[in-house]
Amino acid sequence: MQGNITLGFYVPGQSFIHRLDPRTKILACLAMTMAVLFCNHPAGFAALSLVTLLALGLARVTPQLLLGILRPFGIFLVLALLLQLLFTPGRPLMMLGPLQLTREGVHFGFQLLWRLVLLIISGSLLTLTTSPLMITAALEDLLKPFRRVGVPVFELAMMMSIALRFVPTLLEEAQQIIRAQQSRGAAFTRGRLVQRVQGLVTLLVPLFASAFRRADELATAMEIRCYRPGANRTRMHQLRFHCRDYAVLAGTGVLFLIVLVMRWWG
Amino acid sequence: MRLSVKEMVLVSMFAALTAVGAFIKIPIPYVPFTLQFLFVLFAGLLLDKRLAFLSQVTYLALGLAGLPIFAQGGGPAYVLQPTFGYLVGFALGAYVIGAVVERVREKGIPGYFLASMAGLVVVYVLGVIHLYIILNYVVQKPFTLAQAVWFGAIVCAPGDLFLSLVASLVGGRVYKTLQSVNPVHREVF
């Protein structure tokens, strides 16, 4: 977690995908995810893989970056593949002691692996090319209809932005407090249970005190500036759809429909 | 749902604290664990139930929006991780903790512990269900519910019980201090 936490996985850039409207990217990402989940035809998989490859190229994602994205899912992916390979009944290909590798196992195993990899990549393309603040703004806009049923959409977006701003501050503070208390002899990682509880308390009390003080100051500052929760607010950078957004939306929409058609009539 | 500015800021703070909790790892023999759940407990014990719920929804939304604040990263693909169910459980768990503690607050530490346990059960139920679904329908391997319960709840219970104990011991004191020292918070708590 080195570097700037508030940017998350975001890699700043000026590629075609970077310049798309964040709402387009969220919708396209959703369409791709659904398409990958519904797809059961080799041609569909080929098309989805090609589109994903194209998007990776357009976003200028390097192979190293791609590996970095997949690494946290490594154990999960390997486990999924192995379970399919070794425990699918069917025509045997070869024997490995008591286990047997079957034709069906290889087929299902790699199909599953490919499906998962496509899902992870299409999700990550969104977060690689869009900063969390932009995603928040886009979510606020996309979820607007839910205000009718009482979901505090504007407030949630604001709370996400505030939390985003305070994660690094509080993290740094927590680390400082841990070091300070350790230098005074607090035990977080050794000693008996009682000592560890006491160690945790010496971290929690100052951390809470500081968090509540900051919350208080910020709330006062916001109230002084007449911030009203839920009021219609304008923003510095208005989100706007361009031609490229319509093109991308139409493209992913068509792809999604093709996959659906192949599933039910193919 | 109407929120005041102060409530909104508090919700954000608890979302940020939960995120910070994911980065603090406590090595306990056999099962190292993070402090996320501790802040879920505090959100439930200190805030009103709907604020506690919102704080965890905010945390979840931020993680899904690409902040690496979950135990193993973040981003929309995190839904596929077998452990994602616990994060959803945090939101409902925080609500349940808040709802229970409302009724048993005057009973002191046992009351706080009872509320924490209720929350823990909710977190585990959702965690195990998600684990079960991922294993059976995504990985497509028949895991029995008993196996899912064993790996999803029993194995990680000691660490979470420890955190529940810490939260019940500290929660009451923090709540009282907040009420007596800082009258500003009275309207919220």
Side-chain angles (χ1 to χ4, degrees):
Chain A
M1 291 316 114
Q2 280 76 39
N4 194 341
I5 290 175
T6 47
L7 286 182
F9 301 104
Y10 177 54
V11 181
Q14 278 300 317
S15 74
F16 176 78
I17 306 273
H18 277 88
R19 280 180 290 140
L20 285 175
D21 187 290
R23 291 170 294 178
T24 308
K25 284 186 268 191
I26 291 179
L27 291 175
C29 172
L30 271 178
M32 280 299 282
T33 306
M34 299 302 278
V36 172
L37 286 176
F38 281 122
C39 185
N40 63 351
H41 198 282
F45 270 115
L48 289 171
S49 312
L50 272 179
V51 171
T52 308
L53 219 67
L54 179 72
L56 280 174
L58 282 174
R60 301 193 198 292
V61 175
T62 58
Q64 292 99 310
L65 198 56
L66 194 61
L67 275 180
I69 298 167
L70 291 172
R71 192 166 298 134
F73 294 90
I75 299 169
F76 176 55
L77 291 176
V78 170
L79 194 75
L81 178 65
L82 279 182
L83 284 173
Q84 292 290 335
L85 282 184
L86 299 179
F87 298 105
T88 308
R91 286 167 294 168
L93 274 180
M94 58 190 280
M95 305 292 282
L96 300 164
L99 304 163
Q100 59 171 359
L101 205 61
T102 62
R103 209 176 280 271
E104 284 79 2
V106 173
H107 175 239
F108 286 127
F110 282 97
Q111 190 185 27
L112 177 70
L113 184 73
W114 196 236
R115 204 189 283 262
L116 291 175
V117 167
L118 283 181
L119 283 176
I120 294 167
I121 292 178
S122 60
S124 306
L125 266 172
L126 171 68
T127 50
L128 277 174
T129 59
T130 326
S131 75
L133 264 179
M134 288 306 271
I135 294 185
T136 306
L139 277 179
E140 179 178 357
D141 200 71
L142 287 174
L143 296 178
K144 236 191 253 168
F146 289 100
R147 293 197 72 206
R148 293 253 175 81
V149 290
V151 181
V153 175
F154 291 166
E155 288 93 326
L156 266 175
M158 186 64 184
M159 291 189 293
M160 280 173 74
S161 312
I162 299 175
L164 188 65
R165 184 241 169 277
F166 276 104
V167 168
T169 318
L170 289 179
L171 185 60
E172 200 186 306
E173 216 152 59
Q175 281 161 348
Q176 239 170 40
I177 296 169
I178 288 178
R179 280 196 293 270
Q181 303 294 30
Q182 272 177 336
S183 73
R184 297 186 179 98
F188 294 103
T189 55
R190 61 205 150 68
R192 285 181 296 123
L193 204 61
V194 185
Q195 286 166 319
R196 291 187 201 198
V197 173
Q198 284 168 343
L200 267 183
V201 173
T202 62
L203 162 67
L204 291 176
V205 173
L207 191 60
F208 272 124
S210 134
F212 281 114
R213 183 174 44 76
R214 283 175 192 282
D216 216 42
E217 285 170 4
L218 180 65
T220 311
M222 284 165 78
E223 270 172 348
I224 287 172
R225 289 164 181 77
C226 296
Y227 174 82
R228 276 189 306 130
N232 259 316
R233 303 183 63 75
T234 52
R235 46 176 72 254
M236 179 111 155
H237 302 287
Q238 291 289 346
L239 297 176
R240 213 172 330 127
F241 281 124
H242 296 276
C243 288
R244 52 174 181 263
D245 295 302
Y246 293 117
V248 168
L249 283 176
T252 44
V254 168
L255 187 67
F256 178 54
L257 284 179
I258 291 176
V259 166
L260 277 191
V261 167
M262 276 200 283
R263 184 179 177 99
W264 277 294
W265 291 285
Chain B
M1 196 184 310
R2 292 227 141 258
L3 289 167
S4 75
V5 175
K6 211 153 272 173
E7 288 174 325
M8 281 178 64
V9 176
L10 272 175
V11 166
S12 316
M13 280 301 164
F14 271 87
L17 280 173
T18 313
V20 168
F23 290 102
I24 307 175
K25 295 196 170 64
I26 300 287
I28 227 179
Y30 310 119
V31 269
F33 64 101
T34 61
L35 292 189
Q36 271 157 307
F37 184 58
L38 185 65
F39 291 104
V40 178
L41 288 165
F42 276 116
L45 294 176
L46 300 177
L47 302 177
D48 150 298
K49 59 186 181 228
R50 92 206 145 101
L51 296 187
F53 173 73
L54 279 179
S55 75
Q56 296 309 308
V57 170
T58 308
Y59 168 67
L60 202 61
L62 268 185
L64 288 177
L67 232 50
I69 51 176
F70 297 151
Q72 284 143 12
Y78 205 84
V79 177
L80 287 174
Q81 290 274 11
T83 55
F84 181 73
Y86 298 100
L87 296 170
V88 179
F90 285 169
L92 292 180
Y95 185 88
V96 169
I97 296 170
V100 173
V101 86
E102 248 170 37
R103 270 159 223 177
V104 294
R105 201 182 284 287
E106 61 283 358
K107 291 208 171 61
I109 290 170
Y112 280 85
F113 194 67
L114 179 74
S116 308
M117 284 299 100
L120 188 62
V121 169
V122 172
V123 172
Y124 278 177
V125 165
L126 279 150
V128 167
I129 290 175
H130 188 267
L131 184 70
Y132 184 76
I133 291 175
I134 288 287
L135 288 178
N136 278 280
Y137 298 102
V138 177
V139 183
Q140 286 169 4
K141 276 296 133 194
F143 263 74
T144 61
L145 203 54
Q147 282 167 318
V149 170
W150 171 256
F151 289 109
I154 315 279
V155 172
C156 40
D160 291 328
L161 282 173
F162 171 70
L163 289 183
S164 306
L165 198 66
V166 174
S168 336
L169 290 174
V170 183
R173 287 223 304 263
V174 177
Y175 186 80
K176 274 193 202 112
T177 324
L178 282 175
Q179 274 200 320
S180 58
V181 172
N182 199 343
V184 181
H185 284 112
R186 248 182 217 147
E187 57 174 274
V188 170
F189 288 114

